[in-house]
Amino acid sequence: MIHTVISGGASGIGEALARRLARSGQRVSILDRTPSTACPWWAELDESSRGTWVVVDIAERAAVAAAIDEIASVAIDGLVTCAGIASRENVLEVTEDDFDRTLAINLGGTVAAVQAVARHLVASGRPGSIVTVASTAGIGYVSGLGLAYHASKAAVLGVTWSTAGDLAKHGIRVNAIAPGVVRTPMTVPQRDAQGESRLGRRAPAGRLAEPDELAAAAAWLLSPASGLTTGHVLPVDGGQVASAGAPITGYEPSPIDTRDSPHLARRTA
Ligand code: NAD
């Protein structure tokens, strides 16, 4: 039975993936700060699909390694790193706390899980597939998302490329998905503020993504059907990235008007 670990599997894209993999008869284990008791859908999965659920802060490298050791009592075949937070403070606002926490979770948490799973895969001599979860904000500018979020998601792509290169000789593939705007708990504030149809119209496809559309892309990258695909970044974004080269979409423009900038005024005076 294929065994996949999902970080951030309690909610949103990770939950949709856990359900999808379980439906196809796979075993799923989860790392999340949220306990399984808060997720009634977990108990509804087939018992053979329910692996280990470990409550852990993904930013705690040693705790993540210990959790993966526990999960690996049943050999691991794959990992998808969904755990992440949004942050919206731009360059003029961003605090040290916001920067450090966002990087610790989105980047540090990705590295912690990837490293621990990669070590198990290599030690076991098994091939495997790792899928990181970046964002269109890791590829270009998305108005309304913050400096730390952009930096963390761009760095996730660096982790993906570096890891794909180093692990290929072990038969381990590493790819990234880059979601646009997805209908998950993370985007409730934007959807409430702007309305879903308005948000959706900003991508050429004209609508938001459903969590299972991201899960389907990750499931393909996990599967042997994508056997020669590694080091790839797959936007699942309704065409946002393709349409402009950079996804300046998804959120209201910043209220900051650079025409009022004192620096600009000085330069043009
Ligand atoms: P979500 O909030 O529904 O799920 C995120 C999960 O990560 C939750 O279960 C949460 O408990 C877990 N998590 C957060 N911080 C954690 C921590 N410190 N330790 C352990 N678990 C933690 O959000 P989602 O939309 O499903 O997001 C999944 C991933 O997709 C994130 O990395 C996000 O940045 C990325 N993404 C989402 C969108 C979108 O529009 N929803 C767009 C681009 C990228």
Side-chain angles (χ1 to χ4, degrees), residues 9-53:
S11 168
I13 295 167
E15 175 190 334
L17 180 65
R19 290 173 181 269
R20 172 175 274 270
L21 296 179
R23 279 198 303 276
S24 65
Q26 299 190 30
R27 180 182 179 88
V28 177
S29 288
I30 288 180
L31 304 175
D32 206 290
R33 62 185 174 188
T34 304
S36 61
T37 46
C39 304
W41 57 268
W42 177 249
E44 292 160 15
L45 301 186
D46 194 272
E47 194 179 344
S48 61
S49 291
R50 272 184 274 134
T52 308
W53 184 303

Side-chain angles (χ1 to χ4, degrees), residues 88-95 256:
R88 309 191 191 287
E89 296 172 0
N90 70 33
V91 61
L92 303 179
E93 304 158 339
V94 66
T95 60
I256 298 167

Side-chain angles (χ1 to χ4, degrees), residues 255-267:
I256 298 167
D257 185 340
T258 49
R259 287 171 301 183
D260 294 336
S261 159
H263 306 292
L264 192 63
R266 261 202 302 279
R267 278 200 286 127

Side-chain angles (χ1 to χ4, degrees), residues 200-221:
R201 280 198 302 275
R202 296 182 175 203
R207 65 171 177 82
L208 307 188
E210 299 299 333
D212 190 55
E213 294 180 295
L214 279 300
W220 177 72
L221 288 168

Side-chain angles (χ1 to χ4, degrees), residues 11-13 32-33 56-58 82 133-134 149 153 180 182 184-185 187:
S11 168
I13 295 167
D32 206 290
R33 62 185 174 188
V56 69
D57 182 343
I58 204 73
C82 296
V133 180
Y149 190 79
K153 293 301 187 177
V182 192
T184 69
T187 57

Side-chain angles (χ1 to χ4, degrees), residues 98-134:
D98 179 79
F99 184 83
D100 290 351
R101 185 74 183 142
T102 305
L103 270 288
I105 293 173
N106 293 2
L107 175 59
T110 299
V111 172
V114 167
Q115 183 179 56
V117 168
R119 284 177 171 166
H120 272 282
L121 286 170
V122 171
S124 69
R126 294 165 76 90
S129 176
I130 295 173
V131 180
T132 60
V133 180

Side-chain angles (χ1 to χ4, degrees), residues 112-207:
V114 167
Q115 183 179 56
V117 168
R119 284 177 171 166
H120 272 282
L121 286 170
V122 171
S124 69
R126 294 165 76 90
S129 176
I130 295 173
V131 180
T132 60
V133 180
S135 166
T136 49
I139 298 172
Y141 173 66
V142 178
S143 174
L145 286 172
L147 180 153
Y149 190 79
H150 281 85
S152 70
K153 293 301 187 177
V156 165
L157 297 183
V159 171
T160 306
W161 294 320
S162 167
T163 313
D166 287 341
L167 295 179
K169 63 177 172 288
H170 298 286
I172 301 167
R173 298 182 296 110
V174 189
N175 294 284
I177 56 171
V181 186
V182 192
R183 199 193 310 274
T184 69
M186 184 179 276
T187 57
V188 167
Q190 291 70 46
R191 290 188 279 126
D192 285 352
Q194 296 183 43
E196 292 196 1
S197 59
R198 195 161 157 226
L199 262 182
R201 280 198 302 275
R202 296 182 175 203
R207 65 171 177 82

